[in-house]
Amino acid sequence: MSKKVNKLTEPNMRLYFLLAAVFCAVTLWIEPILGLVEAGVMALTYVYFRRTAQKRREGIQRYVEDMTDDVASAGKSSMLSAPFAMMVFRPDTQEVLWSNESFLQLTGMRENLFDNRLEDTLPGFPAQWLLEGKSECPETVVVNNRHFRVFGSLTHPSGRSGARGLLALTYWMDVTEQDELRKKSEESRPIVAVLMLDNYEELMKAGTEAARSSVLAQIDEKISAWVSGTQGLLCKYDRNRYLLLLTEKHYNTLLEGKFSVLDAVRSVVTEDGVAATLSIGVGKDADDYETLFKNAGLSIEMALSRGGDQVVVRNRLDFEFYGGKTKSTEKRTKVKSRVMANALGELISDASQVFIMGHKHADFDAVGAAAGVCCIARKRGKKAQIVIDMDDNAAGPILKRLAALPEYKDAFISGSDAFIKAQPGALLVVVDTNRPDFVESEQLLDTCNRVAVIDHHRRAASYIESAALNFHEPYASSASELVSELLQYLIDPGDLLRAEAEALFAGIVLDTKNFTMRTGGRTFEAAALLRRAGVDTADVQRLFQGTLSDMIERYDIIRHAELYHNDIAIAAVEQDIDRVTAAKAADELLTLRGVRASFVLFKHDTGVNLSARSLGEINVQLIMEKLGGGGNSTTAGGQIPDGTVDAVREQLIAAIDQYLEG
């Protein structure tokens, strides 16, 4: 500071005095008397200059000191009387060093505040964000029912360094009113829900007119009682549909009640023993009622495609699912199959190319359904190609039989080759999956502008949208069953090759566990159609034969199984095993007395694969969806790319607990 003041008060006068001294010396040599006079004047001038500079320097220093004191005093005063709370503490020891009056009022601890640690004064206050270099606490801090946004910074006091010398200065801004306004705004956001009796036709088929009216009256009463207290608007706008308008606040109340109306409506039973079931589609997080109603309609479609008797919520980003644990009943008509068959036939006739694609790691059901579509295309004079990885699949025996046929010469193609070969007028038929991330080639799916979907799995949150044809029946046993139904409307009995019929039959056998799971009247009708086409059931059974090593590996998996809740078998295996072997092991575990569901976990590359099976009482699809997988209520699977078997097992147990609690 002194050096800076010297520069201000003492300009560079040395040069001037040096020049004056030179002039004096010259004058002394020429005129001694005049030189002495000049030397005297120069000396007086120099003394005057030094005294004046000293006074100026002292004045400036005094001014700077006064100004510094004023600023420090103003800073201290502003900190003490600031309108928002301030507090200083040591991050390493949690010791509170100083606070202003506002902070004392905030905590209510005026006497012993500085005798306590930070965690005693403000329990749960997160201080780590300061050490991470952030200037604002990521969470809103609640103190004495008031909400605060906390800002802060770290400083080093003079003469100290390192973590032990750090001081944390925090500023507390009261945002209680803003949070309350935000909460009120969020709670008052509108929500649109569509309620639908998804088995209305079954309820109205039998019984007297009075009995049918009584059933509908009971359902109306159950729904009205459920909505009462929500201040919502409920109106019936169709014979089996209701529209409900309510706010986010009251929707959360219904959500906390786990949509008890599903159980209430299910308690209404007709004279013939048919229980009513209700599906609810909810639209939320939209800016206008039109979008909300549209999302509610999409949710209802999703609920019905997953078997009904559940709640589906469409928010801004994704779908949420509640319920759907009951075993769905068959609700198909042959009229829909005939309409879908005609539509598929027209799409194939108009297509310049026909590609058929199943899911990754194709099984007998995917290959069988693809073979059936190939037959339809051949009948329409089109050469269809099946997109499949010939090295990574679970249907090797049937693929060999089909590849040996002249009709299937060059019929199998990889996803990359199909992507290159595809033209603008190509038709892509996706079988045995409705999820875009499960198909054999996502690039091909994105390339083709005309897509037909034939699937029996319950629809997941992500599904193939904007399909030209969507034959989706979650009540069917398999995709092969659906294709078999289409065949009777599109081909003559002699057009179906025996190998194609056996491929379709093998797909049904696989997904029904030899006609013991998920079978209905239509399943046996499809099997009868294929049997008339020349299927040899013994030959089909040979397709499922494995080797002795496969059997030993399967029973080694079973040896690792443990019972969870006494009725759920979980086998976690550290080694990388074959998918088919794991699936067979999961099926085998279901034969144990008392076991209602089975799960097999095994290593695959850097991740973990899961295979899940159920007898129908436990919906394994809902459990697998929590882990990113999918399937149907009795057969499901999943894959976690990065993880250990032990970690995935813990996630699976948590998903099972959540399912059972729900």
Side-chain angles (χ1 to χ4, degrees), residues 128-303:
Q128 186 63 28
W129 55 277
L130 284 164
L131 299 176
E132 294 173 354
K134 299 179 181 178
S135 60
E136 181 179 358
C137 180
E139 305 172 9
T140 300
V141 180
V142 180
V143 181
N144 293 334
N145 297 322
R146 304 292 294 180
H147 295 189
F148 293 90
R149 288 180 63 187
V150 183
F151 303 86
S153 61
L154 294 176
T155 60
H156 282 281
S158 58
R160 297 184 183 181
S161 61
R164 297 181 58 85
L166 284 176
L167 293 182
L169 175 61
T170 56
Y171 310 84
W172 299 64
M173 181 180 296
D174 193 334
V175 293
T176 306
E177 286 73 17
Q178 293 92 317
D179 284 357
E180 289 178 353
L181 289 174
R182 184 185 300 108
K183 182 179 179 181
K184 289 180 180 179
S185 175
E186 292 175 351
E187 289 180 345
S188 62
R189 288 186 300 186
I191 286 180
V192 174
V194 174
L195 290 69
M196 177 180 176
L197 287 173
D198 46 35
N199 63 340
Y200 178 83
E201 288 75 12
E202 287 80 1
L203 297 174
M204 298 294 104
K205 277 182 179 178
T208 63
E209 182 67 29
R212 293 196 292 268
S213 299
S214 175
V215 168
L216 294 178
Q218 292 181 60
I219 294 173
D220 289 343
E221 181 182 356
K222 300 289 185 184
I223 296 175
S224 298
W226 177 65
V227 174
S228 64
T230 63
Q231 301 178 4
L233 172 64
L234 175 70
C235 63
K236 190 172 185 178
Y237 70 97
D238 201 353
R239 59 178 186 171
N240 63 338
R241 291 186 181 237
Y242 304 78
L243 179 65
L244 174 62
L245 303 179
L246 70 167
T247 61
E248 185 93 25
K249 176 181 179 180
H250 296 100
Y251 164 77
N252 291 331
T253 302
L254 301 179
L255 179 60
E256 291 174 0
K258 299 181 179 179
F259 297 101
S260 58
V261 69
L262 298 181
D263 296 328
V265 170
R266 204 180 301 116
S267 66
V268 179
V269 183
T270 65
E271 295 176 347
D272 299 332
V274 178
T277 58
L278 184 72
S279 293
I280 303 177
V282 179
K284 58 177 298 191
D285 296 340
D287 298 327
D288 55 85
Y289 283 97
E290 181 181 1
T291 305
L292 288 171
F293 185 73
K294 178 182 177 181
N295 289 344
L298 292 174
S299 299
I300 275 290
E301 291 180 10
M302 176 70 76

